[in-house]
Amino acid sequence: MKPMRLDKYLTKVHNMSRSEAKQFIKKGRVRINGVVEKRAECKIDADVARVELDGERCVFEEHIYRMLNKPAGVVTATKDAEEKTVMDCLESSNRSLFPVGRLDKDTEGLLLITDDGELAHNLLSPVKHIDKCYFALLDGPVGEKEEKLFQEGLDIGDDKKTLPARLVPAGEQTGGFGVYITIQEGRYHQVKRMAKAIGREVLYLKRISMGSLKLDEELKPGQSRPLTREEIDGLKNRV
Ligand code: URA
């Protein structure tokens, strides 16, 4: 990693402003390799320097990865003049975070939010065929005939049929007929349009996984948490 200024390093590690970082440094609260450093402009190599703030070791992560359980009623965008966005569900950050892919306003569930453009690009690339699994409630039952239609790919009004998808019925439940649907693409309203193509309507939709990343069921809608090292490596290894 390229050497960076000490104050900039602190803003990235501790999500603080540049002026706060400068204050901490000036007050002698920051040590590099055991020695107090009072110069904000001092360049450090984040891979090797041992930086401490008030005696606590700072850990530098090049990128941020957060899993959000998206609630219904918020739009998947970084900014919106009228609507609440998924970014409003997170603490503010001085990194340029963005959601990976898009869930409809009424869809809930797994949404990865990061500043890692390369990983996002790979996860969304149509050639990588990353599985996205959803739980849906439909307005009627489905069976073997529909499973086969999903497997063969459906005409949903685009140039090409959808890639093979998996439909697994999960029985009648409060509010509709449960199904698990796994798709390999991320076309606009894809799950809803596939359901429509077999004569059904989606009454409720929740994404439960993307590649190896599974929604943490401990997260209530609107809550988020950082990805674990294993979760990050799992996603990177797949792409
Ligand atoms: N498919 C849809 O129809 N909506 C979503 O939000 C995600 C997939």
Side-chain angles (χ1 to χ4, degrees), residues 18 21 24 27 33 36 74 77 92-93 117 131 154 161 178 183 185 190 192 199 202 205 216 218 223:
R18 193 61 93 83
F24 285 135
K27 287 185 179 151
N33 301 328
V36 171
V74 306
S92 69
S93 167
D131 280 351
L154 287 164
K161 276 178 151 192
I183 57 175
E185 304 151 282
Q190 182 164 345
K192 290 173 187 165
V202 172
L205 188 60
D216 181 343
E218 298 285 304
Q223 290 184 337

Side-chain angles (χ1 to χ4, degrees), residues 102-104 107 134 183 187 189-193 205:
R102 194 176 163 282
L103 293 176
D104 296 337
T107 302
Y134 294 84
I183 57 175
R187 299 193 203 176
H189 291 334
Q190 182 164 345
V191 171
K192 290 173 187 165
R193 290 198 289 150
L205 188 60

Side-chain angles (χ1 to χ4, degrees), residues 31-95:
R31 286 173 185 265
I32 299 179
N33 301 328
V35 180
V36 171
E37 176 57 71
K38 291 193 171 183
R39 292 170 304 141
E41 69 282 6
C42 161
K43 291 268 173 76
I44 60 156
D45 180 342
D47 289 330
V48 290
R50 183 188 171 91
V51 182
E52 288 162 304
L53 173 63
D54 294 335
E56 290 279 326
R57 175 109 195 237
C58 301
V59 181
F60 181 80
E61 298 286 356
E62 188 171 8
H63 292 296
I64 289 188
Y65 305 90
R66 286 197 82 85
M67 171 192 298
L68 170 69
N69 183 357
K70 178 192 172 296
V74 306
V75 295
T76 309
T78 44
K79 273 199 196 107
D80 192 283
E82 274 129 46
E83 312 259 22
K84 184 172 173 187
T85 75
V86 290
M87 305 312 292
D88 297 325
C89 298
L90 309 183
E91 260 182 42
S92 69
S93 167
N94 50 22
R95 307 264 189 136

